[in-house]
Amino acid sequence: MSVSSIARAFTAALALLCTTIPAHPQALYPQTVKARDDAKLVQPIYQSLPLGSIKPGGWLKDQIETEASGLAGNLFDFYRYVQDSMWIGGHTEYSPLHESAPYWFNGLVPLAFGLDDARLRGQVTAFVDYVLDHQQSDGWIGPETTPESRGLWARCYILLGLMQYAQADPSQADRIVDAMHRYVNLAHSMLQNNFTGLLPKANDSFDGDGFGPARAHEMHIPLQWLYERYPRNNSQVIWETMELMIEGSTVFGVDWRNFWVPGVYPEVTYTPREQPYTWLFNHGVNMAEGLRFPLSIYRMSHDEALRTQTRTALDLLSQWHKSLAGTIIGDEFVTDLNPSRGAELCTSTEMMFSTAYIYQYLGDNDLADWTELTAFNAFPGQLSPDWWSHQYVQQENQPWSRTLNEYPQMWQNVGVRGNVFGLEPNYPCCTVNHPQAYPKFLANSFVITEDGGIAHVLLSPGSVTAKGATILADTTYPFGMDLQYSITTETEFTFYVRIPAWASSSSTATGPSSDVSTQISPTDQGLQAFTVPKGESSVTVNLQAEPRVVTRANNSAAVYYGALLYTLAIDFNESAIQPWSWDGGSVLNSSDTTPQTHDHIIEPTSPWNIAFDPSQIKVVQANASTLPNPIWDYGAPPVELRVAAVEIDWPLKFDTPEDPPSEPLVTGKPFSARFVPFGSAKVHMAHLPVVQLPEVDLDAST
Ligand SMILES: *[C@@H]1O[C@H](CO)[C@@H](O)[C@H](O)[C@H]1NC(C)=O
Ligand SMILES: *[C@@H]1O[C@H](CO)[C@@H](O)[C@H](O)[C@H]1NC(C)=O
Ligand SMILES: *[C@@H]1O[C@H](CO)[C@@H](O)[C@H](O)[C@H]1NC(C)=O
Ligand SMILES: *[C@@H]1O[C@H](CO)[C@@H](O)[C@H](O)[C@H]1NC(C)=O
Ligand SMILES: *[C@@H]1O[C@H](CO)[C@@H](O)[C@H](O)[C@H]1NC(C)=O
Ligand SMILES: *[C@@H]1O[C@H](CO)[C@@H](O)[C@H](O)[C@H]1NC(C)=O
Ligand SMILES: *[C@@H]1O[C@H](CO)[C@@H](O)[C@H](O)[C@H]1NC(C)=O
């Protein structure tokens, strides 16, 4: 393939990305929420804990440390869009949104404080110092000095990062809150002036696409925190700023309350893909963020219809566009549930945050399961085991990871190297946005319940100190099914462990006052309660499950066991090359990379083209009290499946396996196939045709 054809593909993608979207005012809802001096925000059912109170343990600690020693923890020192960002006096941005350092900052704050890592704390502190010291005299935060270049959007992530920083280091709260108030006063006056900084006008350069209005509610989390904790006689201005952000979205035609509606929401669309909406709605990452739009208004209006709509939004998404691995299929636009399309890394990252956040308000058990599904499957599957490279798009059926060699190419708004593990295999947003995923998963893993208890809701190894109690969770979950807790507390309290919806009723629990395990009896919200007395005690939960087969269209299916999706194990051959630059033109200069940054070309060396028999599945679990590190590596997880399978004829299209053949043509003899956790298999086939096979000896090694 020629460089010019790569360049053409990228130019086409970029042209689309930069199209200005005409505004379609379509205000169906009353926009104004009553502002009262004493207006209270809706409180979550589960309160999150201050950043830093939860520490990772076991495999999760290993992975977050690997993240810190991989790309995430080194971007500040070498990556041109962070190290030389305009935000800290440099000159290099990948877009006029100037969002790259803000994305990085939003992820690095919870990473630095979650690990309590002095080196990373130094990075974020240096950034905070620079940004606050350079706040402009009119209150503007950031490097832009002309009205045309001043967009509000990137500041949502700066404020989110600052909020987390103030929570983790209260000694800095005053200084941060001062800066936030000065900024809010300015943003309020800009928004009052015909939505300046939010809606791009003729000569504005800050946002050619309308990302700001589509994501206006991202400002709400930090502003609602400011409103509740540090209002400083400025409540009215904070409140109106939030209202104006939403009103701007409505004027621009991206009010998500008009989109998350049955009958309006786009159901499965097949190629050629029609786009009846502004593409801002059909965009996977925007959708992952837009799930929180009704909820952000609900907190202010107390309008139960918006809470209900949040549930409806999740259900619509789940039915039509949720991938097997827990993300949203969209390249970058949502299409159908076919396994070749792929999903962006920013989408799994934002989905993990959105489902964890919404879970705290709705309390529905399936939402925490969804967060775990994304965290243990889609997300790790898109990162190399050493966390030094990532994919832009992950396909559910992806037997190779390399430049795709067919035109017209398979993706609509993704370049031909979209599935390569690299530094910036496509748009650089995922390079700088992915760091937030695991640290925020950690920060939301334990919560305070409405009755003042403590609940372990996103299951993983770690510990928490809160309300005079320290709880240590020792587990290899999701690779093992047992959770052991050691608890020390100054006063009696109720401890809850969330029981995943897939766990069978034969799962057992042992409380602090008994040596006898009993069958679980979770609440309607899926919480198993334990009364923990003052002093030291222990609690155990032993989950039981069987492999689950989830069927999809055209006689196809996928296999899960516990929280993990499984894929056919594919042996592969990997080679590392100097990274390409995201705009496709050339290989990056060594001054823009480090010795650890590579693009990885992965080719299968064993068959990938199989169909399977869902009635013949066996679990193979090794005894592993300690897990290998890195765990998200091929062959590392101690649990695998053996599945009866057979090779079939599976045609290619766009240099990728076609949709699963509904009447597969068998080409081999039945055999016992090895299936491994999806997150550990960088090349994989997870969405497969179903066949009936004669009985296969599943213990026979292949
Ligand atoms: C307000 O902005 C819109 C574009 O968003 C523009 O069409 C309109 O003319 C502006 N109104 C005023 C009074 O400047
Ligand atoms: C936009 O820029 C052009 C060219 O500099 C100028 O003539 C025009 O007045 C500007 N429009 C606005 C609304 O500032
Ligand atoms: C808030 O306003 C009241 C009355 O105007 C004033 O007494 C009080 O000092 C103010 N508080 C702050 C924190 O500015
Ligand atoms: C099912 O098969 C039909 C007909 O071949 C095809 O149009 C459709 O895309 C397939 N759907 C899925 C989800 O594979
Ligand atoms: C593995 O990749 C290398 C480098 O691309 C290539 O030379 C070699 O032939 C490949 N081996 C196999 C077994 O595919
Ligand atoms: C590499 O460096 C040269 C010289 O500074 C520059 O012209 C070129 O654009 C750089 N290439 C990339 C991909 O950044
Ligand atoms: C796993 O450990 C249990 C108990 O320690 C033992 O009974 C069993 O044989 C072990 N299984 C394997 C495969 O080592």
Side-chain angles (χ1 to χ4, degrees):
M1 83 151 1
S2 70
V3 168
S4 69
S5 59
I6 300 174
R8 263 201 313 280
F10 275 97
T11 311
L14 283 179
L16 193 60
L17 209 65
C18 299
T19 309
T20 304
I21 303 302
H24 301 291
Q26 44 176 235
L28 299 186
Y29 290 81
Q31 294 148 26
T32 309
V33 169
K34 278 188 192 58
R36 302 182 306 265
D37 285 345
D38 63 342
K40 295 274 184 288
L41 298 173
V42 169
Q43 294 305 301
I45 295 171
Y46 302 131
Q47 290 275 358
S48 57
L49 287 154
L51 186 61
S53 8
I54 306 174
K55 298 289 174 214
W59 73 265
L60 186 61
K61 179 164 191 263
D62 288 343
Q63 292 318 293
I64 296 180
E65 283 176 353
T66 307
E67 171 179 356
S69 61
L71 263 190
N74 286 286
L75 292 171
F76 188 69
D77 293 326
F78 87 93
Y79 193 50
R80 62 200 188 287
Y81 298 126
V82 180
Q83 183 263 336
D84 190 41
S85 163
M86 287 171 67
W87 278 90
I88 43 177
H91 302 93
T92 311
E93 295 291 333
Y94 62 73
S95 107
L97 295 166
H98 301 166
E99 66 184 12
S100 134
Y103 268 137
W104 165 86
F105 177 57
N106 175 48
L108 261 286
V109 174
L111 178 62
F113 288 101
L115 275 185
D116 198 12
D117 180 302
R119 181 178 66 91
L120 299 185
R121 275 204 322 270
Q123 294 182 2
V124 291
T125 302
F127 186 83
V128 168
D129 287 346
Y130 190 97
V131 167
L132 295 190
D133 290 350
H134 289 79
Q135 183 167 22
Q136 297 178 34
S137 55
D138 62 357
W140 185 251
I141 296 180
E144 303 83 0
T145 52
T146 62
E148 292 79 14
S149 61
R150 283 181 161 191
L152 300 176
W153 147 244
R155 270 129 284 265
C156 297
Y157 277 145
I158 292 293
L159 264 55
L160 254 180
L162 288 172
M163 174 194 87
Q164 296 173 83
Y165 195 101
Q167 288 174 334
D169 182 358
S171 75
Q172 298 301 306
D174 264 354
R175 175 181 173 224
I176 284 171
V177 166
D178 284 348
M180 282 171 82
H181 276 286
R182 291 173 59 210
Y183 171 72
V184 172
N185 290 340
L186 174 66
H188 180 257
S189 65
M190 287 169 68
L191 289 162
Q192 276 186 321
N193 179 20
N194 201 15
F195 305 107
T196 299
L198 181 63
L199 307 192
K201 309 288 173 11
N203 287 354
D204 287 345
S205 60
F206 60 77
D207 185 357
D209 310 285
F211 278 113
R215 300 170 175 182
H217 62 293
E218 292 289 12
M219 197 70 101
H220 282 53
I221 291 178
L223 291 196
Q224 289 174 354
W225 170 80
L226 193 68
Y227 178 87
E228 282 190 319
R229 305 293 166 90
Y230 303 93
R232 294 201 184 158
N233 280 2
N234 207 20
S235 304
Q236 192 73 18
V237 168
I238 301 171
W239 191 279
E240 284 174 14
T241 303
M242 292 190 279
E243 285 187 326
L244 285 163
M245 293 293 280
I246 298 298
E247 210 174 308
S249 296
T250 307
V251 169
F252 198 74
V254 281
D255 182 336
W256 291 87
R257 289 169 296 184
N258 298 337
F259 177 76
W260 301 119
V261 173
V264 172
Y265 178 88
E267 299 181 353
V268 170
T269 53
Y270 292 97
T271 43
R273 293 162 237 178
E274 292 157 16
Q275 285 185 46
Y277 300 94
T278 143
W279 68 267
L280 289 165
F281 278 142
N282 280 10
H283 184 263
V285 181
N286 284 354
M287 286 168 75
E289 298 182 35
L291 283 170
R292 284 182 276 111
F293 187 98
L295 187 63
S296 66
I297 306 168
Y298 165 62
R299 288 204 71 197
M300 299 167 70
S301 71
H302 297 243
D303 176 359
E304 285 297 316
L306 294 174
R307 183 182 195 281
T308 306
Q309 188 177 31
T310 304
R311 185 66 244 187
T312 304
L314 289 153
D315 292 340
L316 287 168
L317 185 62
S318 180
Q319 182 174 3
W320 300 111
H321 298 110
K322 181 182 178 183
S323 83
L324 294 167
T327 182
I328 302 172
I329 298 188
D331 63 352
E332 298 169 1
F333 309 114
V334 289
T335 53
D336 50 42
L337 290 175
N338 285 324
S340 55
R341 301 284 177 233
E344 200 180 326
L345 178 59
C346 278
T347 308
S348 54
T349 300
E350 296 289 350
M351 276 308 288
M352 281 175 60
F353 178 63
S354 286
T355 52
Y357 182 79
I358 294 171
Y359 171 66
Q360 292 172 4
Y361 286 87
L362 302 192
D364 296 345
N365 198 27
D366 66 311
L367 297 182
D369 279 336
W370 194 338
T371 312
E372 290 187 12
L373 181 69
T374 318
F376 302 151
N377 299 281
F379 181 78
Q382 280 182 280
L383 288 155
S384 61
D386 65 1
W387 290 71
W388 270 102
S389 64
H390 71 279
Q391 290 180 300
Y392 190 69
V393 292
Q394 164 189 75
Q395 300 156 293
E396 292 173 334
N397 285 351
Q398 178 191 287
W400 40 80
S401 175
R402 56 159 166 75
T403 307
L404 298 184
N405 296 311
E406 195 177 312
Y407 296 92
Q409 65 148 11
M410 77 159 306
W411 289 307
Q412 184 167 4
N413 196 30
V414 172
V416 288
R417 274 192 292 276
N419 81 9
V420 169
F421 288 83
L423 173 61
E424 46 181 48
N426 207 268
Y427 210 63
C429 52
C430 297
T431 312
V432 288
N433 192 19
H434 81 273
Q436 65 163 313
Y438 267 22
K440 290 193 179 178
F441 177 88
L442 170 72
N444 290 316
S445 58
F446 286 89
V447 293
I448 303 296
T449 55
E450 282 178 306
D451 62 3
I454 303 176
H456 193 205
V457 290
L458 302 178
L459 305 182
S460 47
S463 61
V464 62
T465 300
K467 301 172 77 82
T470 296
I471 302 165
L472 173 72
D474 183 8
T475 180
T476 58
Y477 184 93
F479 309 102
M481 296 284 191
D482 297 342
L483 298 124
Q484 298 192 350
Y485 297 92
S486 310
I487 306 173
T488 309
T489 177
E490 289 161 11
T491 50
E492 178 180 296
F493 76 106
T494 311
F495 176 53
Y496 297 92
V497 178
R498 194 184 70 80
I499 306 295
W502 48 256
S504 85
S505 57
S506 59
S507 302
T508 58
T510 313
S513 53
S514 161
D515 292 338
V516 184
S517 68
T518 54
Q519 212 169 312
I520 52 162
S521 52
T523 63
D524 289 348
Q525 282 74 41
L527 298 184
Q528 177 75 26
F530 302 91
T531 303
V532 178
K534 178 175 153 70
E536 288 182 16
S537 45
S538 61
V539 160
T540 62
V541 171
N542 306 101
L543 301 173
Q544 300 285 329
E546 294 296 326
R548 304 188 304 291
V549 175
V550 169
T551 57
R552 286 254 164 127
N554 295 351
N555 199 30
S556 64
V559 187
Y560 297 81
Y561 176 55
L564 300 176
L565 170 68
Y566 282 76
T567 160
L568 172 70
I570 302 173
D571 295 331
F572 57 84
N573 179 16
E574 180 172 348
S575 54
I577 57 174
Q578 176 68 6
W580 285 81
S581 94
W582 68 274
D583 51 13
S586 56
V587 164
L588 283 171
N589 289 328
S590 57
S591 57
D592 289 330
T593 62
T594 74
Q596 298 96 330
T597 45
H598 297 292
D599 284 0
H600 299 266
I601 306 306
I602 309 179
E603 298 276 5
T605 57
S606 66
W608 54 266
N609 48 307
I610 64 149
F612 79 106
D613 181 347
S615 70
Q616 300 188 60
I617 301 176
K618 180 186 169 185
V619 178
V620 183
Q621 180 125 25
N623 280 347
S625 52
T626 55
L627 297 169
N629 181 22
I631 189 65
W632 297 120
D633 198 359
Y634 186 56
V639 53
E640 300 188 350
L641 305 179
R642 297 292 178 263
V643 178
V646 68
E647 279 188 53
I648 60 164
D649 184 32
W650 195 324
L652 302 186
K653 191 175 176 189
F654 300 130
D655 198 16
T656 289
E658 266 189 355
D659 295 337
S662 51
E663 285 170 26
L665 180 68
V666 167
T667 61
K669 289 204 169 69
F671 66 101
S672 170
R674 181 179 162 219
F675 274 45
V676 296
F678 183 87
S680 68
K682 309 308 163 181
V683 288
H684 46 248
M685 294 292 289
H687 183 165
L688 300 165
V690 166
V691 285
Q692 267 193 329
L693 295 174
E695 192 175 328
V696 168
D697 176 7
L698 294 177
D699 292 323
S701 60
T702 54

